[in-house]
Amino acid sequence: MSGVPEVLTAPRVLTGDGAVTDGAVVLGDRTLDWVGPAAALPAEYAHLPRTDYPGSTILPGLIDSHVHLGFDGGPAAAARMRAETDEQQLVLMLHRARELLGVGVTTARDLGGRGYLPVVVRDAIAADLARGPRLVVSGCPVTVTGGHCWFMGGEADSEDELRRMVRTHHKHGTDLIKVMSTGGFMTTGSAPWYAQFSRAQLAVIVEEAARVDKPVAAHAHGIEGIQRAVDAGVSTLEHCSFVTETNERQFSEALAAQIAERGMFVCPTINVNAPYVAKLTGISVGAHVKPLHEMGVRIIAGTDAGIDNTPHHQYLGGLQHLVTLGFTPEQVLAMATTEAAAALGVGADTGRLAPGYQADLIVVDGDPRADLAALGALRRVVARGRDYVPDNGRFDVSAPGTPFASAEHPVDLRLIKEATRRRTA
């Protein structure tokens, strides 16, 4: 399809607000013109070309709320970023954006790249100069000197420097501000349980971001860093893993209650590696997510795609692990569509199938409400009204249970174990 109006039908149409049996979707140029039962299709659309998908489901395009297009998903993602030129990084980022579309991700939030390269990629996609998901981008994350991901270019320490950094991000056109409230696993000398900024410093970032109408996403692993980010009033908490100095996970009901009360979204960055890391380390990855949800915290799907051994094409595995944590497939689908769209500030444009919404949808064989594996049986991907056809002419969603595998990065257990040791030491 190239902007030509078309009618799609399937036994199931999941709109994001419910399900239509034997439904139809009318694609306009860039938006959806009509959604409802095929038998009730208005006469004005009867002349349009029609494509039927027997046995399939039509649903909103998926959303990955936490990606890094500048990381390659291999065993040494940060080292590659640091070694590459800006030009090399742009080529990599555009390629990874296509990979996301190829697995049905039509919207993604890039939460950390070198300088303002993510803005360049976002704008190229929006202008139809490149193919990829709709992007919401933060640019380089704000971090302390020598702090987590310092090599992306966002170092700032004093309150004046922090204000200047937020203003510079605004000048360059980022959609939001990303702050490293704690250290992380991928930066040498950075501890994930260490709170990098004081409450006052985080409050300055949130205050200055609010002045230019930008939300703040806080990378926060350790409990103290989570608490400070909550007190400062950030919009979303990334990871929120309750890590202690002994690398254990210590869930806090009191802190979870505060997160829920403030209406903050949590993106726990559950990805395909979760069961494998648990097996190698004995750490139950994501055990805190269901308790957070039960206390009223809104959870969104995001994979941290691009970090060590986490390829962008393995999006589905993270969704499936959420089911093993106790969520129903329907809850997970909401986290990957309507809830994610609301958290990213694009809920009026995408995440649902309804008249006037952007034509972002996927067609899959089977019913993902019964088994999310159906999302791996892609028939069609439409992003902003344009079909996406992978370079090899077919969709190739890697099966869960084979994490880290791709043509570029074949499985090497020795490297995986070493990377896991580094990240959990």
Side-chain angles (χ1 to χ4, degrees):
M1 185 188 74
S2 301
V4 178
E6 181 184 4
V7 177
L8 311 183
T9 70
R12 293 164 298 273
V13 174
L14 309 183
T15 66
D17 296 303
V20 180
T21 302
D22 294 326
V25 175
V26 178
L27 298 176
D29 180 15
R30 292 285 187 175
T31 61
L32 301 175
D33 288 346
W34 188 85
V35 179
L41 183 71
E44 64 186 289
Y45 303 119
H47 69 286
L48 295 178
R50 174 169 166 161
T51 305
D52 300 321
Y53 292 98
S56 297
T57 302
I58 302 173
L59 67 155
L62 302 172
I63 300 174
D64 193 330
S65 300
H66 191 130
V67 307
H68 298 278
L69 295 177
F71 284 150
D72 71 349
R80 176 173 177 175
M81 175 183 283
R82 292 177 63 179
E84 288 191 328
T85 64
D86 282 358
E87 293 82 0
Q88 290 170 321
Q89 275 281 288
L90 278 174
V91 172
L92 174 68
M93 294 169 75
L94 290 167
H95 180 69
R96 295 301 182 234
R98 290 179 68 89
E99 279 192 346
L100 285 170
L101 260 192
V103 295
V105 173
T106 59
T107 299
R109 183 174 56 156
D110 188 297
L111 286 181
R114 181 188 298 165
Y116 300 102
L117 295 182
V119 175
V120 176
V121 175
R122 179 200 66 192
D123 291 350
I125 292 171
D128 288 332
L129 298 175
R131 291 309 308 269
R134 168 190 295 96
L135 291 178
V136 176
V137 303
S138 70
C140 53
V142 182
T143 191
V144 297
T145 298
H148 185 42
C149 290
W150 61 267
F151 49 84
M152 292 182 181
E155 292 173 302
D157 297 294
S158 70
E159 291 191 3
D160 283 346
E161 289 174 337
L162 294 171
R163 290 188 189 279
R164 177 181 290 274
M165 184 62 68
V166 172
R167 293 169 184 173
T168 303
H169 278 49
H170 176 60
K171 181 177 75 173
H172 283 86
T174 68
D175 299 298
L176 74 154
I177 306 300
K178 167 80 174 294
V179 60
M180 300 301 199
S181 184
T182 70
F185 290 102
M186 290 181 63
T187 305
T188 301
S190 176
W193 48 83
Y194 174 69
Q196 294 195 146
F197 290 104
S198 68
R199 285 176 173 80
Q201 289 172 314
L202 290 172
V204 164
I205 294 170
V206 172
E207 174 188 308
E208 194 65 23
R211 188 184 65 80
V212 292
D213 196 28
K214 295 191 189 300
V216 176
H219 161 107
H221 279 294
I223 296 173
E224 182 59 30
I226 297 171
Q227 181 69 69
R228 293 181 186 181
V230 171
D231 291 343
V234 302
S235 302
T236 68
L237 292 164
E238 310 303 312
H239 315 300
C240 194
S241 49
F242 299 93
V243 173
T244 68
E245 291 186 14
T246 56
N247 201 33
E248 297 173 302
R249 308 301 191 264
Q250 186 176 320
F251 180 71
S252 168
E253 287 192 2
L255 184 47
Q258 293 177 47
I259 297 169
E261 182 181 357
R262 290 173 176 258
M264 295 174 177
F265 291 88
V266 167
C267 180
T269 58
I270 300 297
N271 57 51
V272 69
N273 296 332
Y276 200 82
V277 171
K279 182 178 180 180
L280 287 178
T281 66
I283 297 171
S284 180
V285 179
H288 60 289
V289 181
K290 194 65 162 63
L292 276 170
H293 186 262
E294 289 172 346
M295 295 194 68
V297 176
R298 299 175 73 175
I299 305 296
I300 57 177
T303 64
D304 221 355
I307 65 168
D308 289 358
N309 303 306
T310 309
H312 298 77
H313 67 267
Q314 294 264 333
Y315 177 76
L316 174 56
L319 301 187
Q320 291 179 307
H321 190 69
L322 286 167
V323 173
T324 70
L325 295 176
F327 295 100
T328 67
E330 286 187 279
Q331 288 175 320
V332 175
L333 287 171
M335 295 173 190
T337 55
T338 54
E339 285 291 272
L344 273 55
V346 294
D349 298 314
T350 193
R352 284 180 166 81
L353 300 184
Y357 273 68
Q358 290 289 307
D360 297 332
L361 61 81
I362 61 175
V363 182
V364 302
D365 283 337
D367 187 350
R369 297 170 302 174
D371 187 347
L372 288 178
L375 298 177
L378 278 170
R379 297 285 304 279
R380 189 168 180 178
V381 174
V382 178
R384 294 185 303 122
R386 301 295 185 265
D387 270 301
Y388 175 70
V389 179
D391 294 331
N392 62 4
R394 62 183 177 84
F395 297 109
D396 185 16
V397 180
S398 296
T402 57
F404 326 117
S406 70
E408 286 182 87
H409 307 299
V411 173
D412 185 330
L413 295 181
R414 180 183 57 80
L415 290 175
I416 292 167
K417 289 179 180 179
E418 174 60 20
T420 302
R421 185 196 65 76
R422 291 198 310 268
R423 294 181 62 191
T424 56

